[in-house]
Amino acid sequence: MLSLTPMTQADYDDYLATAATTFASEKVKAGTWNEQLAFQRASETYQRLLPNGIKTPDNYFYRIDQDKTKVGVLWLAKSHDNPEAAFIYDLYIFKDYQNQGIGTEALQLADDEARQLGFKRIAFHVFGHNERALHVYQKSGFEITDINLEKPL
């Protein structure tokens, strides 16, 4: 059975140890940032968004557990654009557990949790190169609200 468990400080520390690096590599892969500055920019972004770490108001961190085994992480926060919306900053299913329907089920748990927190909507960002994730999100009821396009010159 899949469940969300609030992160402990130790869980958060483990998450943060790799989160900025992962975010930086995704921004480089998307062509948004250059490799030399990506980690610095990612670290600055996390510091700006989470000045008080796990205790930053309006941010909610969860382990995604399958029967007591940690299979992923979820970071929800109050949207800066719409206070009635939760924004999923991160949803990551560990590689050994991908392609088993866990992401789809975790999205449903995220919906339920956001509803319990009083939110009326839920939003998400996905990198354009992550077609597999986009398919899962659309299958789960997310609709595209903005599309940025770019081409090399």
Side-chain angles (χ1 to χ4, degrees), residues 31-125:
T32 309
W33 292 345
N34 70 45
E35 199 167 344
Q36 290 73 29
L37 297 174
F39 182 75
Q40 177 185 337
R41 286 184 174 173
S43 297
E44 290 168 355
T45 299
Y46 274 84
Q47 182 58 39
R48 180 177 46 79
L49 292 172
L50 300 167
N52 300 315
I54 196 170
K55 295 181 181 177
T56 302
D58 299 322
N59 286 268
Y60 312 92
F61 295 90
Y62 304 92
R63 293 169 41 120
I64 301 170
D65 292 326
Q66 183 174 44
D67 300 322
K68 301 191 182 198
T69 298
K70 183 177 175 181
V71 298
V73 295
L74 170 68
W75 170 17
L76 283 176
K78 181 169 33 171
S79 170
H80 295 286
D81 297 325
N82 178 355
E84 290 189 341
F87 188 83
I88 299 174
Y89 274 98
D90 203 355
L91 170 65
Y92 184 72
I93 306 302
F94 302 140
K95 291 201 184 304
D96 289 347
Y97 301 96
Q98 292 177 2
N99 298 315
Q100 299 175 29
I102 292 172
T104 300
E105 193 174 344
L107 282 170
Q108 182 59 54
L109 292 174
D111 288 352
D112 296 343
E113 187 66 18
R115 204 175 287 111
Q116 287 182 3
L117 290 167
F119 294 107
K120 306 288 185 229
R121 303 184 63 72
I122 192 163
F124 200 95
H125 167 270

Side-chain angles (χ1 to χ4, degrees), residues 120-141:
K120 306 288 185 229
R121 303 184 63 72
I122 192 163
F124 200 95
H125 167 270
V126 63
F127 287 101
H129 61 265
N130 196 344
E131 293 179 17
R132 187 180 79 192
L134 180 59
H135 170 74
V136 171
Y137 305 137
Q138 288 178 311
K139 183 174 78 171
S140 297

